[in-house]
């Protein structure tokens, strides 16, 4: 008989050309293995897998045509290690679930039908995410599969921040500002609640800065405003996404060019952003080049200037600011971007300490700063694992006959 400690939750987090995965102990929520497949859809992709001590277990290179190929590679690895991988449930990050699907839930046939009808809301994300689910449903048909939506954190935004000033018929059709990166924001708020008393009395802005970038305003522990809207293309300029545009700019693009809405979608989400300015979507490359390349400096300046504007706007929405948090790949690792964003913001009470920021300390604000500025590591996969475990516990409460042990599967 297998030990109870050998039951796990598998977490899957897919991106446009990557797939992250992690395996957590069901009871301790300790991450046992984690990995990533990069370069999906490109000539050559890589799979890297590490153990809980960050020791590299596997590095391999091959061609992954699509997300299903990447999913199959993970399943094959799990088969090779099946004596260690008794999976109790699988949790997935889904970028969009429309107005009806926000809270984490078990994936059923009806949920899949609903999500397929919503592909138009997230055409660059949902098809791959649904393909991923289909592949793992076939490999693991007996266990619970749980959808965790990136929009959940923003579900309680007040109407003035949620709805667009458009005829009511569009609101009835589901047109609203959904907001994204919610799993990241949930994780940050959970950590803050563990570390600080009365955090729900603070006015907080969380800046999730990465290839996809957004910010969220939090008051009384609730997300009350955010930068992204109906899609992850809105708000801040990003690696390949345009960010906010005057609607007239979109009409201009359609009128002046013989392109379809689908082609426009690709241009705005894959060929815009800092890539359109500097010729590269990699912020690390831009930071290396910016002192000798004007286009790189222009992209860097635009990115940081827009971040400043949105911090000020969200602070106005909150009616003040107590805590600014940088997270995400860029927010956690780029001292140059944090420094430029916070420069000349002392009129808002933001004063960054150059030395603390250079060392990426947890707190990087000066002692005289009225606003505390922090750097925090996010962990969307752990948040998904915790939601998935909560769903299993709820199943046990509703149906005493249900046991997470009876549904375990090896790959």
């Amino acid at each position: 008989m297998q030990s109870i400690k050998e039951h796990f939750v598998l977490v899957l987090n897919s991106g446009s050309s990557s797939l992250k995965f992690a395996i957590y102990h069901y009871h301790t929520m300790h991450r046992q293995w984690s990995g990533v497949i990069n370069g999906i859809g490109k000539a050559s992709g890589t799979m890297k897998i590490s153990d809980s001590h960050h020791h590299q277990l596997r590095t391999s290179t091959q061609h992954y045509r699509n997300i299903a190929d990447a999913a199959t590679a993970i399943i094959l690895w799990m088969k090779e290690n099946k004596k260690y991988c008794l999976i109790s449930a699988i949790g997935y990050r889904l970028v969009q679930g429309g107005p009806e699907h926000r809270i984490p839930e078990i994936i059923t046939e009806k949920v899949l039908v609903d999500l397929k009808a919503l592909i138009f809301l997230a055409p660059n994300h949902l098809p791959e995410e649904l393909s991923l689910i289909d592949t793992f449903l076939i490999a693991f048909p007996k266990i619970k599969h749980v959808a965790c939506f990136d929009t959940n954190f923003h579900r309680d935004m007040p109407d003035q921040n949620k709805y667009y000033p458009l005829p009511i018929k569009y609101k009835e059709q589901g047109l609203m500002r959904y907001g994204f990166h919610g799993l990241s924001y949930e994780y940050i708020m959970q950590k803050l609640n563990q570390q600080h008393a009365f955090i729900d009395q603070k006015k907080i802005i969380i800046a999730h800065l990465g290839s996809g970038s957004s910010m969220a305003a939090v008051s009384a522990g609730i997300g009350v405003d955010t930068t992204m809207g109906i899609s992850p293309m809105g708000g801040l300029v990003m690696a390949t996404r345009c960010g906010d545009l005057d609607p007239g700019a979109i009409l201009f693009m359609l009128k002046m060019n013989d392109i379809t809405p689908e082609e426009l979608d690709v241009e705005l989400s894959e060929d815009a952003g800092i890539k359109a300015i500097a010729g590269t979507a990699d912020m690390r490359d831009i930071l290396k080049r910016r002192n000798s390349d004007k286009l790189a400096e222009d992209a860097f300046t635009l990115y940081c200037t827009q971040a400043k504007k949105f911090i000020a706007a969200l602070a106005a929405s909150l009616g003040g600011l107590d805590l600014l948090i940088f997270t995400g790949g860029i927010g956690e690792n780029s001292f140059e971007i944090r420094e430029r964003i916070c420069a000349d913001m002392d009129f808002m009470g933001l004063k960054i300490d150059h030395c603390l920021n250079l060392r990426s300390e947890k707190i990087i604000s000066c002692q005289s700063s009225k606003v505390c500025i922090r750097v925090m590591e996010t962990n969307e996969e752990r948040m998904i694992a915790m939601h998935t475990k909560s769903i299993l516990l709820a199943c046990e409460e509703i149906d005493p006959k249900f046991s997470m042990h009876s549904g375990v599967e090896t790959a």
Side-chain angles (χ1 to χ4, degrees), residues 112-346:
L112 289 175
V113 169
D114 289 350
L115 292 175
K116 286 173 184 175
L118 294 170
I119 284 175
F120 74 98
L121 280 177
N124 302 306
H125 296 84
L126 271 179
E128 288 77 15
E129 292 168 355
L130 291 172
S131 175
L132 180 68
I133 292 171
D134 287 341
T135 304
F136 275 89
L137 278 171
I138 292 170
F140 295 86
K142 298 178 182 178
I143 63 174
K144 301 294 184 185
H145 296 251
V146 177
C148 300
F149 299 98
D150 242 350
T151 56
N152 184 41
F153 183 80
H154 310 285
R155 71 183 186 277
D156 294 322
M157 288 196 304
D159 287 358
Q160 70 268 18
N161 295 333
K162 184 182 292 185
Y163 298 112
Y164 294 101
L166 294 169
I168 190 68
K169 64 179 180 179
Y170 296 108
K171 175 183 174 181
E172 293 170 349
Q173 291 170 356
L175 178 57
M176 68 177 76
R177 298 180 66 245
Y178 287 98
F180 301 92
H181 291 136
L183 290 161
S184 174
Y185 296 134
E186 279 188 83
Y187 179 80
I188 294 296
M189 288 306 301
Q190 184 185 82
K191 295 299 288 185
L192 287 174
N193 274 300
Q194 291 170 356
Q195 296 169 4
H196 304 283
F198 310 112
I199 197 68
D200 59 344
Q201 297 178 14
K202 302 295 183 182
K203 296 174 179 179
I204 304 166
I205 292 175
I206 308 171
H208 179 105
L209 306 181
S211 57
S213 296
S214 71
M215 295 183 186
V218 182
S219 179
I222 296 170
V224 296
D225 204 352
T226 189
T227 55
M228 286 180 170
I230 188 173
S231 80
M233 287 190 289
L236 291 155
V237 65
M238 291 167 253
T240 62
R241 302 176 206 161
C242 58
D244 281 355
L245 288 178
D246 180 339
I250 297 173
L251 294 174
F252 178 96
M253 295 171 75
L254 288 170
K255 290 176 180 177
M256 297 298 289
N257 299 273
D258 185 20
I259 56 175
T260 65
E262 290 74 23
E263 290 170 329
L264 179 62
D265 187 358
V266 171
E267 191 163 358
L268 294 177
S269 60
E270 297 181 16
D271 298 320
I274 61 174
K275 176 184 176 183
I277 298 171
T280 176
D282 192 335
M283 184 59 79
R284 291 167 297 186
D285 187 35
I286 286 172
L287 291 171
K288 290 176 184 176
R289 289 168 37 198
R290 71 185 186 90
N291 291 326
S292 58
D293 184 334
K294 184 180 182 302
L295 294 179
E297 175 60 27
D298 287 346
F300 173 80
T301 300
L302 175 63
Y303 185 85
C304 296
T305 300
Q306 283 206 359
K308 285 175 178 283
K309 289 180 179 180
F310 277 108
I311 288 171
L314 291 178
S317 184
L318 286 168
L321 182 60
D322 300 307
L323 177 59
L324 171 65
I325 295 165
F326 287 100
T327 192
I330 294 173
E332 294 168 26
N333 297 302
S334 177
F335 71 89
E336 301 104 316
I337 285 178
R338 295 193 300 261
E339 186 117 358
R340 178 69 73 90
I341 289 172
C342 294
D344 303 318
M345 295 284 278
D346 52 333

Side-chain angles (χ1 to χ4, degrees), residues 95-125:
V95 70
Q96 176 64 280
E100 302 301 324
H101 299 282
R102 297 278 192 122
I103 298 169
E105 62 183 320
I106 293 172
I107 297 172
T108 63
E109 284 297 327
K110 182 183 184 307
V111 169
L112 289 175
V113 169
D114 289 350
L115 292 175
K116 286 173 184 175
L118 294 170
I119 284 175
F120 74 98
L121 280 177
N124 302 306
H125 296 84

